[in-house]
Amino acid sequence: MSLSGWICVVTGASRGIGKGIALQLSEAGATVYITGRQEKTLKETATQVNERGGKCVPVICDSTRDDDIENLFERIKQEQRGRLDLLVNNAYAGVQAIFENQDKKFWESDPSMWDTMNNAGLRSHYICSVYASRMMVARGQGLIVNISSMGGLRYLFNVPYGVGKAACDRMAVDMAMELRSRGVASVSLWPGPVKTELITQMVLADDAPEEADSEYKDIFANGETTEFSGLCIVNLAKDKNLMSLSGKILMTCDLARRYGIQDIDGRGIVDFTTLKFLLTQVPYVSWLSSFVPSFIRMPRFLLPLLSNHF
C-alpha cells in the first residue's frame, strides 16, 4: 500500500492501458478517479478495482469537452480538499481510426483525422494538466504522466498520430521546466506494444480482420499487459529521486530495469533498445543476435540523433 492516501486521476480508464493503470494504482492504496464516456465500461472498471480492495471514483467525462474536464477537477478539489497527487493523461480516441485508415496517406484521409487523433489526446492532456497543476502547485508536490509512444520520435501509423505524440513528449518536458521549482514532476511515458482489448480483437485474434498487418501481429504477440504501465507508474511515484527524472521521456523497459520489476504475468519486458533485439530486426544479420549479450544497449542520446533532420 505504498500510495495509501494518494489521490489520483487516470483519464480514459474504462479499458486498455488506462484501466490497467487504475487497477495498479488502486492496489497500491490510492483513491483513483477514473474518466471515460461510457458509464457501463467505467462501472466495470470500478467493480474490478473494488474487488481488489481498492478505492475508485468513476466519473463520466468526455475528454473533448472542456466543461467536463473543468467539472472533474472542481469535483476533486471539493471532495479531496484541494489534494491531487497524480494525474495520468491517457485518454485517446484514435486507435480505431488508425486501423480504418492504415493504408491511406494523409491527403487521402478526411482532414477530421487530425481532431480524431489529437482532441481526446494532446489537447485534453494539456487542459487536464492546467487544472491538475493548479492543485499540485498549491500543495508543493505532485506528478503528471503523459502516456505517449515511440511515434513521438519516428514515423508511426500516420501523420496526425506522430505529431500528437511528439507534442505530448514536448509538453511533458516543457511543463517540467515551469513546475520544477514548485515541487511538481512531469514526465512522458512510452509503453512498449501493449495487448489491449482492441489490439487483441483487431490484430491478435484468430478472426481478426484480414487487413491486420502481419508485422503488427509479430510486434504485439509478445506485448506488455495493460497493467504493466501502471506498475511502472506506481514505482515511479514513490521514487525518492523522482525530481531527477522530471522532464524526461521514460520507457517502460527502462523502468522495469530501474525498479527490477516484471510484467504482472511474470514475463520479462522486451527491451527494444538492446543491440540483441535491434539485430533481430535487420535482414541477413539477425543470426548475429544469438551471439550478442542482452545487456548491450543503444545509448539513449543516439535515439534523437537517429531522427535528427537538421
Side-chain angles (χ1 to χ4, degrees), residues 35-73:
T35 76
R37 292 177 294 180
Q38 303 297 326
E39 182 178 12
K40 179 181 177 181
T41 51
L42 272 179
K43 286 186 175 180
E44 289 173 354
T45 298
T47 298
Q48 289 189 34
V49 168
N50 293 332
E51 288 174 349
R52 297 192 185 190
K55 298 179 181 179
C56 183
V57 183
V59 181
I60 298 175
C61 175
D62 186 340
S63 292
T64 65
R65 296 177 60 88
D66 295 0
D67 289 346
D68 281 10
I69 296 175
E70 183 178 8
N71 291 337
L72 164 69
F73 286 94

Side-chain angles (χ1 to χ4, degrees), residues 99-262:
F99 288 106
E100 292 175 352
N101 294 272
Q102 64 177 337
D103 295 323
K104 296 180 181 180
K105 305 303 181 185
F106 75 89
W107 64 88
E108 298 171 334
S109 302
D110 191 286
S112 63
M113 172 71 79
W114 177 272
D115 293 334
T116 301
M117 294 287 161
N118 294 317
N119 276 0
L122 173 63
R123 187 176 188 279
S124 70
H125 293 355
Y126 177 75
I127 297 173
C128 287
S129 297
V130 169
Y131 290 116
S133 294
R134 290 174 181 176
M135 299 170 68
M136 293 175 178
V137 166
R139 297 183 64 246
Q141 64 184 51
L143 169 62
I144 298 174
V145 180
N146 287 348
I147 302 299
S148 186
S149 83
M150 181 67 78
L153 183 65
R154 58 179 291 271
Y155 179 84
L156 187 62
F157 301 133
N158 56 54
V159 173
Y161 178 87
V163 174
K165 293 306 181 183
C168 282
D169 293 340
R170 180 59 187 264
M171 181 170 70
V173 173
D174 286 1
M175 288 194 307
M177 293 287 292
E178 298 185 3
L179 290 170
R180 185 178 301 277
S181 63
R182 306 302 181 94
V184 180
S186 169
V187 302
S188 193
L189 180 65
W190 288 4
V194 180
K195 292 189 286 188
T196 64
E197 299 93 334
L198 191 56
I199 288 296
T200 300
Q201 174 188 344
M202 298 294 294
V203 178
L204 299 177
D206 294 334
D207 59 348
E210 293 183 3
E211 60 268 23
D213 196 308
S214 60
E215 180 183 356
Y216 288 165
K217 290 187 177 182
D218 292 339
I219 291 174
F220 286 102
N222 295 313
E224 300 169 7
T225 69
T226 55
E227 293 190 42
F228 184 66
S229 291
L231 187 58
C232 288
I233 292 173
V234 168
N235 282 271
L236 178 67
K238 62 183 182 181
D239 194 316
K240 293 181 179 180
N241 296 311
L242 174 61
M243 290 308 296
S244 68
L245 299 175
S246 186
K248 295 186 179 298
I249 299 171
L250 306 173
M251 302 173 71
T252 52
C253 60
D254 287 339
L255 295 181
R257 187 170 59 254
R258 179 183 180 92
Y259 301 121
I261 55 178
Q262 294 181 318

